[in-house]
Structure formats: C-alpha cells, structure tokens
Amino acid sequence: MNAIASATSNLAQVLDHPGIWRRSADRQPRVRALSTGWASLDGRLPGGGWPQGAVSEILFEHDGLGELDLVMPALAALTQEHRRVIFVAPPYQPYAPALAAAGVDLRFLHEIHAGSTEAAWSMEQCLRSGCCGAVVGWLPDIDYRSLRRLQLAAESGDACAMVFRSAGHAAENSPAALRLKVSNSDEATYVDVLKSRGLLTTTAPLLRMRA
C-alpha cells in the first residue's frame, strides 16, 4: 500500500506541473504572444495573439483573400516599436503606400528576393539573427523538415515567423505552433484555427475580416 500511495503522490505532482497540459484543465498554458490586432481572433488564441519564438502558418485558398491584411496590424505594431520586419520571397511587389497607410514604418521593413530553394534558408538565417521582430515568408513548397528548422530558428531568435502556404497543405502534419486557414464564403473572408498549442481545433469561422 505504501508503494501504491507513493506512486500516486508522484503522479499527482507530475500532472500538477504547469508544463503539462490536460484537456479538462481550466487554465491555459502560458504563451508569449503578439496581438494579431483582431480582437475576436486574439480572444481564441493562447496568449492572445501570434506566438512569439514560434512559426505560424497562414494557409489560404487563393491570392487576394486578405491573407496579408491578417498579419498587417502586428507587423505595423512591431515597426512602430522600431523592430525589424523581413519579407522573404513575396510573390508580388509590396506596395509601399498601402503598407504605410496600414501603419507600417517603412524604415524597419525589408525585403529579400529569393528563389524557392533559397527562401527557406534566408528566412531561417533572419530568424536566428535575433534582430528581427517578425519574418514573413511565402514558401509554397516547404517541407516538414524545413518547417521544423524554422521553428527552431524562431525559438533561438525569439521572433515571430509567419509562413504563407496554399490551403492544399492543410491536411499535412506541421511543426508550426499555430495554423490558420483563410477562406472565402458568402462574399466574406473567414479565418479558422486548424491548430494552436493548448487550444482544441475548431472548424467554426472565428473572424470575419471583410464583406
């Protein structure tokens, strides 16, 4: 009986550790985050925003759904704090007047042109540098191993990594801490949480961005 009691006590201590997540637990895990700028989305994410020191994937059905609008408030906030934001391999030339109108301080926004084979490497180096608030990459063909390297680099440099990919990758496994899907329905743009550390997945639209 003493052995059983001792084992039970040890198990209780392990389960009570703050690093252990239990589905039935009321408390949320502690997550350092940067506000997305969208209150309805922040309210559903552990920490209240984009996880810092981690990769967030934004999966979109096709260009022009407002996928860049989703990250713009956070990027603007970072540049206003004089923190660098890097765009890696954007498919279109960023339009400076629109970025400035969104609140982005263009002095702290930089762009790296890279081919498909160099883009992931460039993003990894920026994340590891420790001098970036966020690194945003358009990496349509990135694989699990490369995403894992980005995750480790983001942790090392304590930066937000945001990766844009096609929604066709939604069913694939990913090491990203957060996965969002941007879709269009009834002439509005919606955002769904596919994966978030410490949060059960949901298929219900969380955010209606625009009509």
Side-chain angles (χ1 to χ4, degrees), residues 60 62-69 92 184 189 210:
F60 56 96
H62 56 79
D63 293 345
L65 287 181
E67 61 275 9
L68 191 57
D69 293 339
Y92 307 105
N184 182 272
T189 298
R210 62 182 182 181

Side-chain angles (χ1 to χ4, degrees), residues 98-111:
L99 293 170
V104 175
D105 188 331
L106 299 178
R107 296 175 299 169
F108 299 94
L109 177 65
H110 307 276
E111 181 182 352

Side-chain angles (χ1 to χ4, degrees), residues 5-208:
S6 177
T8 301
S9 176
N10 290 338
L11 178 59
Q13 292 177 11
V14 170
L15 292 177
D16 194 51
H17 191 280
I20 300 296
W21 177 78
R22 292 177 293 178
R23 179 170 180 168
S24 60
D26 292 331
R27 61 188 177 190
Q28 291 289 333
R30 296 175 183 175
V31 177
R32 294 173 52 249
L34 172 68
S35 173
T36 66
W38 302 90
S40 57
L41 183 57
D42 282 353
R44 291 295 303 272
L45 298 178
W50 301 108
Q52 291 189 282
V55 171
S56 296
E57 279 189 87
I58 300 98
L59 308 170
F60 56 96
E61 292 181 341
H62 56 79
D63 293 345
L65 287 181
E67 61 275 9
L68 191 57
D69 293 339
L70 182 63
V71 303
M72 197 56 63
L75 302 185
L78 286 171
T79 61
Q80 290 166 13
E81 296 172 359
H82 295 182
R83 299 181 66 187
R84 296 182 186 277
V85 171
I86 312 293
F87 282 179
V88 178
Y92 307 105
Q93 181 64 39
Y95 187 53
L99 293 170
V104 175
D105 188 331
L106 299 178
R107 296 175 299 169
F108 299 94
L109 177 65
H110 307 276
E111 181 182 352
I112 295 176
H113 296 279
S116 58
T117 56
E118 297 86 13
W121 181 87
S122 299
M123 190 169 180
E124 180 183 344
Q125 301 312 305
C126 291
L127 290 169
R128 289 191 184 279
S129 70
C131 65
C132 300
V135 183
V136 184
W138 284 259
L139 308 176
D141 301 318
I142 192 169
D143 57 20
Y144 184 97
R145 181 179 179 182
S146 296
L147 275 172
R148 177 60 179 162
R149 290 183 63 89
L150 292 184
Q151 175 65 33
L152 295 175
E155 293 174 5
S156 175
D158 193 31
C160 288
M162 301 171 179
V163 176
F164 286 103
R165 305 175 74 198
S166 166
H169 298 285
E172 299 175 2
N173 290 328
S174 171
L178 175 65
R179 304 188 85 199
L180 302 179
K181 181 181 177 182
V182 183
S183 59
N184 182 272
S185 178
D186 300 325
E187 298 183 353
T189 298
Y190 292 93
V191 177
D192 303 312
V193 176
L194 302 182
K195 172 189 175 183
S196 181
R197 289 178 182 172
L199 178 70
L200 295 180
T201 57
T202 176
T203 56
L206 298 181
L207 171 65
R208 177 171 175 159

